[in-house]
Amino acid sequence: MPVKEKNISELALELGLAMSEMKSRLRQKIQTAVSEYDSDLSFELIEILGLLSRNNGINQQEIGNKVSKDKSSITYLINSLVKRDLVERIADKTDKRNRQIFLTVKGQHIVETIYPWALELYKKAAGDLHEDEIRKALLLVKKMTANLE
C-alpha cells in the first residue's frame, strides 16, 4: 500500500514543529552558556538585550510583540533589566507616556560578550547549508507568518 503524501497543512504543521524544536534546543544551549557567564541572566533577558542591540530605543509594546510576551511579562522582565542597570527607560520626547527602552553601557557589554557565543551556535545549526538555502527558508517562514496576520 503506498504511503499517503502529506497535504500542505500537515507539511506546514511539521515545519512549525521542527522550528519550535530547533528554537528549544538553541535556547537550551544558549542558556547553558549564559549561566556559566552569569547565573542570574535568563534566556528571556538575553533575548531582550539582543533585540535592543538591533533596535535600541523601541518601546515595551514593540519588545513584547517581537519576543511574543504579554504586557505584564515584558514589564517584569524590563524591570529586572533596569534593576541590574542593563537597560534604562527614557520618556519619548513627543509623548511622555511612551517610554523607550535603551541599553546601558553595562547591557551593551553583556551583548558584546554573549552575542558571539549565540552566533557560533547558529553557525553550528546551519551546518553545511548554503547561504541561499537559509535565505529561501527565511523568506518562506516570513511569508507564512505574514499569512497569519
Side-chain angles (χ1 to χ4, degrees), residues 5 12 26 38 48 54 60 62 70 72 90 97 124 138 142:
E5 246 184 75
L26 281 166
D38 183 338
I48 293 170
R54 296 182 305 277
Q60 285 187 204
E62 291 171 292
D70 62 47
S72 63
I90 298 176
R97 296 168 297 170
K124 182 178 180 181
L138 179 59
K142 285 183 176 185

Side-chain angles (χ1 to χ4, degrees), residues 1-2 26 32 35 38 47 49 60 72 88 97 101 105-106 113-114 117 122 136 138 144 146:
M1 183 169 187
L26 281 166
T32 299
S35 292
D38 183 338
E47 188 175 32
L49 292 176
Q60 285 187 204
S72 63
E88 58 185 337
R97 296 168 297 170
I101 313 300
V105 171
K106 186 176 174 184
T113 302
I114 293 172
W117 301 342
Y122 279 94
K136 286 178 185 174
L138 179 59
M144 290 176 70

Side-chain angles (χ1 to χ4, degrees), residues 125-137:
D128 64 351
L129 294 174
H130 191 272
E131 190 176 315
D132 287 343
E133 292 175 292
I134 294 175
R135 287 185 195 284
K136 286 178 185 174

Side-chain angles (χ1 to χ4, degrees), residues 7 13 21 40 45 47-48 51 53 59 63 79 100 139:
N7 65 34
L13 171 63
E21 167 91 13
D40 289 336
L45 295 176
E47 188 175 32
I48 293 170
L51 174 63
S53 74
N59 66 35
I63 293 170
N79 284 343
Q100 295 171 292
L139 181 63

